Amino acid sequence: MELHDVWFVLIAVLWTGYFFLEGFDFGVGVLTKLLARNRPEKRVLINTIGPVWDGNEVWLLSAGGATFAAFPEWYATLFSGFYLPLLLILVCLIVRGVAFEYRVKRPEENWQRNWETAIFWTSLLPAFLWGVAFGNIVHGVKIDKNFEYVGTVWDLLNPYALLGGVVTLTLFTFHGAVFTALKTVGEIRERARKLALQVGLVTAVSALVFLLWTQVESGDAKSLVAMVVAVAALVAALVANQAGREGWSFAFSGVTIAAAVAMLFLTLFPNVMPSSLNEDWSLTVTNASSSPYTLKIMTWCAVIATPVVMVYQGWTYWVFRKRIGTQHIAADVAH
């Protein structure tokens, strides 16, 4: 296997880690409007992800940085062609981080309610837009012979990509509901399990249609296996949720995300960004990659740094592993 193939796989792993981790905290952000009934319950939801949400975003930075260094042509075409949606995602992530920090800086109800609304929308929009972006990458976009995107932003809003957005939004919301049930106690835990079932059924329908569409359009035997694993894992997550086994349900929902991302990257390879105008104009792991020397240096850096980051992040989750409820919210912040 060539180094550019290795880095294609590593980038797929980084995106899988990002969607697995950031997926549930996007989902929890959406649930602040759908699940929480009062301010203490909103505080509980925010506290479940408070210690980890910023660490989860490291995976996005790593995926973006790895793409820039390993496949500069892919990075350039992607970020120029998808400029507006990616800028909107970036703005949402910035506002979302500010909202987490500023929400409790003042006691006024309007102040806190406005920041909670910001958390909801800046969780919902990226969850949807990431699906739209990856849907377009897999489906193919207008790339000319110079490997430049020549379409418009409206070309990105095609039925396949929009369905991809619905899938990521519902899947992340389901993932977040299962995580909430895993991390909370009392009534909010029970309501999270019930909501997880409802959202999970919607997710199952939309995901099945999207994955079948992907398989028929550009899949092979390997992507079919990944699709079957994704669907089976989602069913297992729903069953475990109904049985009150939140840990297993969360694990299976994570497998669903991992298998779905694997399927998308399997359908892509050896392309990294197919051209809908001419197959010969597609960006591939070969014509979009950096030099072998660059990839070699990057590989050594990744071998050294990645285990350290993963151990530290795993330790963070272990420290904040206990369940919480409204009884744990101090009276002076339970507004």
Side-chain angles (χ1 to χ4, degrees):
M1 180 181 286
E2 300 289 337
L3 278 179
H4 50 65
D5 297 332
V6 172
W7 273 97
F8 179 85
V9 174
L10 290 177
I11 288 173
V13 171
L14 289 172
W15 279 111
T16 301
Y18 175 66
F19 287 144
F20 175 83
L21 296 171
E22 190 87 303
F24 71 73
D25 71 48
F26 280 149
V28 171
V30 173
L31 293 178
T32 57
K33 288 286 187 183
L34 302 182
L35 182 64
R37 292 179 176 175
N38 50 47
R39 186 131 296 120
E41 289 190 353
K42 290 182 179 180
R43 182 69 181 184
V44 168
L45 290 177
I46 293 172
N47 282 4
T48 62
I49 60 174
V52 299
W53 68 267
D54 47 356
N56 294 344
E57 292 184 356
V58 170
W59 289 79
L60 173 61
L61 298 176
S62 299
T67 304
F68 172 77
F71 300 100
E73 285 283 358
W74 183 12
Y75 183 92
T77 303
L78 176 64
F79 278 78
S80 60
F82 292 23
Y83 180 81
L84 286 178
L86 292 178
L87 177 62
L88 182 56
I89 290 174
L90 177 61
V91 171
C92 285
L93 294 180
I94 293 172
V95 174
R96 189 169 181 261
V98 173
F100 280 129
E101 299 297 333
Y102 274 53
R103 177 191 172 276
V104 294
K105 297 299 184 183
R106 290 170 55 179
E108 292 89 344
E109 183 175 349
N110 285 342
W111 173 272
Q112 296 192 1
R113 184 170 59 246
N114 289 339
W115 285 119
E116 290 163 1
T117 300
I119 290 172
F120 170 76
W121 285 110
T122 56
S123 298
L124 184 148
L125 287 174
F128 175 76
L129 290 174
W130 279 127
V132 174
F134 271 83
N136 278 290
I137 292 173
V138 173
H139 190 61
V141 292
K142 294 180 178 179
I143 300 175
D144 66 12
K145 62 182 179 180
N146 298 316
F147 303 133
E148 295 181 359
Y149 179 73
V150 293
T152 67
V153 68
W154 303 112
D155 293 322
L156 303 178
L157 303 179
N158 55 79
Y160 177 83
L162 292 174
L163 178 59
V166 172
V167 171
T168 52
L169 175 58
T170 55
L171 180 56
F172 291 170
T173 304
F174 170 71
H175 198 41
V178 172
F179 178 78
T180 299
L182 177 64
K183 287 289 293 179
T184 58
V185 294
E187 184 183 352
I188 193 170
R189 175 189 177 189
E190 297 303 318
R191 280 191 277 116
R193 286 175 52 199
K194 292 179 181 178
L195 184 61
L197 174 62
Q198 298 169 0
V199 176
L201 293 175
V202 176
T203 303
V205 174
S206 60
L208 183 59
V209 174
F210 179 75
L211 295 179
L212 282 173
W213 190 343
T214 304
Q215 179 64 28
V216 170
E217 187 172 82
S218 53
D220 56 14
K222 294 179 181 178
S223 61
L224 178 60
V225 172
M227 185 190 77
V228 171
V229 171
V231 173
L234 182 55
V235 172
L238 287 168
V239 172
N241 176 72
Q242 284 302 99
R245 304 296 298 271
E246 292 98 344
W248 282 106
S249 183
F250 182 70
F252 281 124
S253 66
V255 172
T256 301
I257 292 174
V261 174
M263 180 186 180
L264 295 183
F265 275 89
L266 285 169
T267 58
L268 265 180
F269 188 81
N271 294 324
V272 294
M273 210 165 176
S275 172
S276 60
L277 300 178
N278 189 324
E279 289 185 5
D280 294 334
W281 298 343
S282 297
L283 288 168
T284 68
V285 293
T286 303
N287 64 27
S289 69
S290 294
S291 67
Y293 181 76
T294 300
L295 296 178
K296 184 177 180 180
I297 296 298
M298 289 176 58
T299 302
W300 280 110
C301 292
V303 168
I304 296 171
T306 303
V308 176
V309 174
M310 295 185 69
V311 168
Y312 175 78
Q313 192 166 25
W315 175 79
T316 303
Y317 276 91
W318 175 257
V319 170
F320 295 100
R321 66 188 182 278
K322 292 184 179 180
R323 295 177 182 266
I324 61 174
T326 53
Q327 67 270 27
H328 299 116
I329 304 299
D332 59 338
V333 296
H335 300 295

